[in-house]
Amino acid sequence: MLWIIDTDAGVDDAIALALPFSPDQQHRHHVLAITTVSGNVHVSKVNLNVGAVLDVLGADVPIYAGCDRPLRERPAHAEEFHGPDGLGGAGLAKTERRPADMHAALAICHLAKAYAGQVGLVTLGPLTNLALACNLDPALPTRISRLVIMGGAWQARGNQTPAAEFNIAVDPESAHVVFERFSNITLLPWEVSLDQMMPLDVFERIRSGRSARARFFAAMTRIVDDWRARFGFAGVPLPDPLAVVVALDEGAIAHALRARVHVDIGHDVGRGLSALDYRNPQPNAHVVTAVDAARAWEMIAAAWA
Ligand code: RIB
Ligand code: CA
């Protein structure tokens, strides 16, 4: 599989980006491109963050800058969780790398056509780029072999609104397009990262490493201590890393439900809700409800060693 990772990096995105570039050969995978989108922070900051992470990983992969705002919704960010720069406010977002000239949505279309049937796409942010790509190339869903989305709240335990998870809530219209166009989505919803948080001893073991990667990880994740103090988390929720884990290692999926996922684009309390319809004869997603946590933590720890 040749991977494209679409991201609004973000601290957990940054942790996830290391996984296919692991020093452990068994976890290395071919990444065609990183595409960026506004979400946790503005896309201009995401571009710098992805560049900084690729620098510390020593990864040679192009960055394509994408949409700087949702399709219709007013822009919303999450700087209180990811810091003003999006990388924990640790002064890490310094890089010489610059995005390529092509827009992320066009790059997704171009690469999916060039490598049709071999491309896997993981989305870690709002689905603005992917929805645009679907309208630029209506055949896109037939060209992408695997689509793994971090997003949604299958039990409606929202983190952006009472009903909606951030990546969907930021751009519900784009999410609605994607869930209507694709029929074989692997969805890693927010609740999995809440119910299966990385244990603190594992997290601290990664942070205590002496490598350049480990020191970057430690600096970037100091803000996680604020999350834990604010919400009383007993561990560390890592939604984007879990999405990349199940993309790269399907055996890490411990349980999933087959359903048609509908995204509510109304304007009431359910806006951005990812509703599961188990009775629909046309399911569009495998909704991951549990992962093999030990397998996930091993992959993440190896990537940041
Ligand atoms: O709700 C969690 C998701 O929103 C993660 O992808 C996080 O990075 C933010 O984008
Ligand atoms: Ca993200």
Side-chain angles (χ1 to χ4, degrees):
M1 195 67 68
L2 305 174
W3 291 99
I4 299 169
I5 301 177
D6 189 75
T7 177
D8 64 336
V11 171
D12 65 316
D13 305 66
I15 294 172
L17 287 177
L19 302 192
F21 302 105
S22 178
D24 184 339
Q25 281 299 326
Q26 68 170 320
H27 294 312
R28 288 182 82 87
H29 295 264
H30 188 133
V31 178
L32 287 172
I34 308 290
T35 55
T36 62
V37 66
S38 276
N40 288 319
V41 290
H42 187 273
V43 67
S44 57
K45 296 179 181 178
V46 177
N47 294 335
L48 294 174
N49 296 342
V50 169
V53 172
L54 295 178
D55 287 343
V56 79
L57 301 176
D60 178 16
V61 63
I63 303 168
Y64 294 94
C67 297
D68 72 346
R69 71 200 71 184
L71 184 62
R72 184 182 185 281
E73 189 58 72
R74 288 188 305 275
H77 302 305
E79 296 181 1
E80 74 274 20
F81 291 105
H82 298 273
D85 61 358
L87 275 191
L92 298 167
K94 297 180 180 64
T95 181
E96 299 298 318
R97 294 183 194 228
R98 293 294 176 267
D101 286 341
M102 187 181 288
H103 188 282
L106 285 171
I108 290 170
C109 293
H110 171 71
L111 291 169
K113 191 172 287 187
Y115 298 98
Q118 304 173 69
V119 172
L121 173 62
V122 188
T123 66
L124 305 178
L127 294 167
T128 317
N129 288 338
L130 183 51
L132 178 54
C134 285
N135 286 314
L136 288 167
D137 177 9
L140 186 68
T142 67
R143 305 188 204 280
I144 289 181
S145 297
R146 290 204 46 220
L147 174 59
V148 180
I149 295 173
M150 191 280 130
W154 76 284
Q155 296 169 322
R157 291 155 59 189
N159 59 12
Q160 183 68 359
T161 74
E165 176 277 330
F166 180 86
N167 288 339
I168 307 300
V170 163
D171 191 348
E173 281 72 21
S174 289
H176 187 273
V177 167
V178 170
F179 280 86
E180 291 307 309
R181 301 288 179 86
F182 283 84
S183 59
N184 196 24
I185 296 164
T186 299
L187 186 66
L188 194 290
W190 166 243
E191 293 94 335
V192 175
S193 67
L194 279 184
D195 296 341
Q196 295 184 278
M197 291 186 192
M198 178 178 274
L200 284 183
D201 62 330
V202 176
F203 189 70
E204 292 305 338
R205 192 157 58 242
I206 299 171
R207 284 214 286 201
S208 63
R210 300 311 309 146
S211 68
R213 289 182 180 217
R215 290 196 304 272
F216 188 98
F217 183 99
M220 175 174 65
T221 59
R222 277 198 296 269
I223 200 168
V224 171
D225 299 331
D226 301 345
W227 301 356
R228 292 191 46 245
R230 182 172 169 190
F231 295 102
F233 288 149
V236 183
L238 293 175
D240 289 345
L242 290 184
V244 175
V245 164
V246 301
L248 302 182
D249 177 9
E250 291 184 272
I253 297 174
H255 186 266
L257 298 168
R258 190 85 170 115
R260 186 159 192 90
V261 177
H262 296 279
V263 174
D264 184 341
I265 52 175
H267 292 275
D268 204 326
V269 67
R271 179 166 172 76
L273 172 70
S274 48
L276 274 62
D277 179 355
Y278 303 101
R279 293 165 299 181
N280 193 304
Q282 292 182 313
N284 60 358
H286 285 91
V287 181
V288 179
T289 55
V291 297
D292 178 334
R295 207 154 154 165
W297 310 148
E298 187 277 326
M299 190 188 291
I300 296 166
W304 286 97

